[in-house]
């Protein structure tokens, strides 16, 4: 795919910098032509993406070293890297072959490719892992975060996967996250993984103490009872569940009521929001994307 080229607008203007009538027509024609080229190239990229995606998913289903090696070759190809700049799933899947090659060199049997059935499976696992890192850094209740960790442990990716995700994540305090992950692994009976993650983090990440602030003020009073409704168009349950988790952590003043409404059968976001609003009896409606997590517990105060 090519991006629409920058147009030299001076050729559509007179000597005073004003657009001429013929210049306007020419500019519209040039823009339409460029957009047509853009659309054709993008359509080609969509087809190429689907073809490669089907190929990778088919190879994953074979469950053989030969198939996994071919996936690595695909991920290292120019075509894949070009498409990864356009399609999010390819961009997120890119690190999978790096993890696989590291695991293979280390002789690990349960490699990352053997744990997933599709590119989407890896993308979901990766998203869930980043959600875990953020929950750890936000210092949410230990039992809840540990239970969420269990979802990843059930899939049981290697510690190489965890280390790669730490490197890729935007987590601010990676040392603290790694320290907590090490604790969770040890608590779950994986002592070797716990030691390896701890050792790796101590060498690579700077120690930053977690600043646990008291964010709830019981002496504060609120005199304006309200009902707040969060309305979301949903097509990804993992994202929406994480979104709702953060909504559940908002500090709700006395007299306030919070509800969530999800819309999954709308033809578009505008229609979905209108459908949600018609279902809501709240004084305040908040229209929220499914991939947005409200980190500030005082968001609605």
């Amino acid at each position: 795919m090519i991006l629409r080229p920058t147009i030299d607008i001076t050729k559509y203007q007179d000597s005073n910098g004003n657009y001429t009538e013929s210049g306007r027509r020419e500019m519209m024609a040039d823009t339409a032509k460029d957009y047509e080229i853009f659309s054709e190239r993008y359509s080609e990229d969509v087809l190429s993406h689907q073809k490669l995606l089907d190929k990778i998913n088919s190879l994953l289903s074979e469950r053989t070293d030969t198939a996994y090696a071919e996936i690595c070759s695909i991920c290292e190809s120019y075509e894949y890297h070009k498409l990864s700049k356009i399609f999010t799933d390819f961009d997120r899947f890119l690190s999978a072959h790096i993890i696989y090659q590291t695991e293979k060199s280390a002789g690990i049997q349960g490699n990352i490719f053997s744990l997933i059935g599709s590119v989407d499976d890896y993308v979901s696992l990766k998203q869930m892992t980043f959600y875990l890192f953020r929950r750890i850094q936000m210092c949410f209740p230990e039992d809840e975060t540990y239970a969420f960790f269990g979802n990843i442990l059930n899939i049981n990716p290697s510690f190489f996967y965890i280390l790669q995700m730490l490197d890729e994540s935007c987590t601010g305090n990676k040392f603290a996250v790694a320290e907590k992950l090490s604790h969770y692994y040890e608590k779950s009976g994986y002592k070797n993984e716990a030691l390896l993650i701890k050792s790796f983090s101590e060498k690579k990440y700077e120690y930053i103490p977690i600043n646990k602030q008291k964010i709830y003020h019981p002496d504060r009073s609120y005199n304006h009872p309200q009902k707040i409704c969060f309305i979301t168009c949903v097509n990804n349950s993992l994202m929406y569940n994480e979104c709702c988790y953060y909504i559940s952590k908002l500090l709700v003043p006395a007299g306030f009521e919070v509800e969530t409404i999800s819309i999954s059968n709308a033809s578009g976001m505008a229609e979905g929001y209108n459908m949600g609003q018609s279902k809501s009896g709240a004084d305040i409606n908040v229209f929220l994307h499914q991939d947005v997590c409200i980190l500030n517990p005082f968001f609605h105060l």
Side-chain angles (χ1 to χ4, degrees):
M1 185 183 75
I2 61 168
L3 297 177
R4 194 181 307 174
T6 302
I7 299 174
D8 178 14
I9 62 172
T10 58
K11 67 178 184 178
Y12 310 121
Q13 300 170 335
D14 60 23
S15 58
N16 295 320
N18 299 315
Y19 287 100
T20 63
E21 187 58 35
S22 61
R24 290 177 189 276
R25 289 194 298 269
E26 186 181 354
M27 181 172 64
M28 291 178 65
D30 287 348
T31 301
K33 183 178 179 180
D34 287 338
Y35 185 76
E36 184 179 350
I37 295 173
F38 174 88
S39 299
E40 288 176 359
R41 294 293 179 88
Y42 182 70
S43 297
E44 292 172 4
D45 288 336
V46 170
L47 292 174
S48 297
H49 168 260
Q50 190 60 53
K51 184 179 178 180
L52 270 187
L53 180 63
D54 291 342
K55 179 66 174 176
I56 293 171
N57 288 340
S58 175
L59 289 168
L60 285 170
S61 69
E62 292 181 21
R63 306 289 182 189
T64 65
D65 288 340
T66 302
Y68 296 157
E70 189 172 347
I71 293 174
C72 291
S73 296
I74 291 173
C75 290
E76 292 168 356
S77 68
Y78 168 78
E79 181 70 10
Y80 185 95
H81 277 267
K82 184 189 75 169
L83 293 172
S84 71
K85 305 299 182 185
I86 307 169
F87 299 97
T88 305
D89 57 346
F90 273 18
D91 178 56
R92 293 178 179 174
F93 186 74
L94 193 56
S95 59
H97 83 287
I98 299 173
I99 296 168
Y100 167 76
Q101 290 172 331
T102 305
E103 291 171 333
K104 189 173 185 233
S105 298
I108 293 177
Q109 295 299 316
N111 64 71
I112 189 64
F113 287 155
S114 69
L115 302 179
I116 59 176
S118 67
V119 170
D120 282 348
D121 285 349
Y122 181 80
V123 171
S124 294
L125 174 61
K126 191 171 185 176
Q127 192 68 62
M128 193 188 309
T129 306
F130 288 162
Y131 287 161
L132 172 66
F133 293 171
R134 185 166 59 196
R135 289 191 185 194
I136 291 174
Q137 183 164 291
M138 293 291 292
C139 299
F140 283 131
E142 177 85 6
D143 57 338
E144 294 179 6
T145 307
Y146 181 65
F148 193 82
F149 168 75
N151 296 326
I152 296 172
L153 197 61
N154 287 337
I155 300 172
N156 198 24
S158 72
F159 70 92
F160 287 120
Y161 165 82
I162 296 296
L163 298 182
Q164 179 68 30
M165 292 303 101
L166 275 170
D167 262 1
E168 290 186 32
S169 76
C170 297
T171 305
N173 194 344
K174 294 186 179 184
F175 182 93
V177 170
E179 189 175 56
K180 183 61 71 174
L181 286 170
S182 176
H183 168 66
Y184 287 166
Y185 271 104
E186 185 171 8
K187 185 176 179 180
S188 303
Y190 294 82
K191 293 186 177 180
N192 287 338
E193 285 80 356
L195 288 172
L196 287 167
I197 292 172
K198 185 176 178 63
S199 175
F200 176 85
S201 64
E202 288 176 346
K203 292 176 181 176
K204 183 156 189 178
Y205 303 127
E206 178 186 1
Y207 170 72
I208 305 175
I210 294 180
N211 181 22
K212 297 185 178 180
Q213 298 178 344
K214 188 174 182 180
I215 58 176
Y216 176 58
H217 302 280
D219 298 331
R220 186 171 177 177
S221 62
Y222 305 89
N223 302 314
H224 304 287
Q226 301 282 354
K227 182 177 182 181
I228 302 176
C229 178
F230 293 89
I231 301 170
T232 308
C233 292
V234 177
N235 63 8
N236 185 310
S237 59
L238 175 62
M239 285 185 179
Y240 183 60
N241 289 339
E242 189 72 2
C243 173
C244 288
Y245 179 80
Y246 281 80
I247 291 174
S248 73
K249 297 303 176 186
L250 296 177
L251 297 181
V252 182
F256 274 65
E257 180 183 350
V258 172
E259 71 173 348
T260 57
I261 293 178
S262 65
I263 303 296
S264 58
N265 58 344
S267 60
M269 191 168 291
E271 180 189 41
Y273 285 157
N274 284 330
M275 291 169 64
Q277 188 168 15
S278 66
K279 293 182 179 181
S280 169
D283 301 293
I284 301 173
N285 291 315
V286 179
F287 301 99
L288 195 65
H289 281 218
Q290 63 182 358
D291 60 347
V292 173
C293 296
I294 303 172
L295 304 184
N296 184 354
F298 295 108
F299 169 76
H300 59 313
L301 303 187

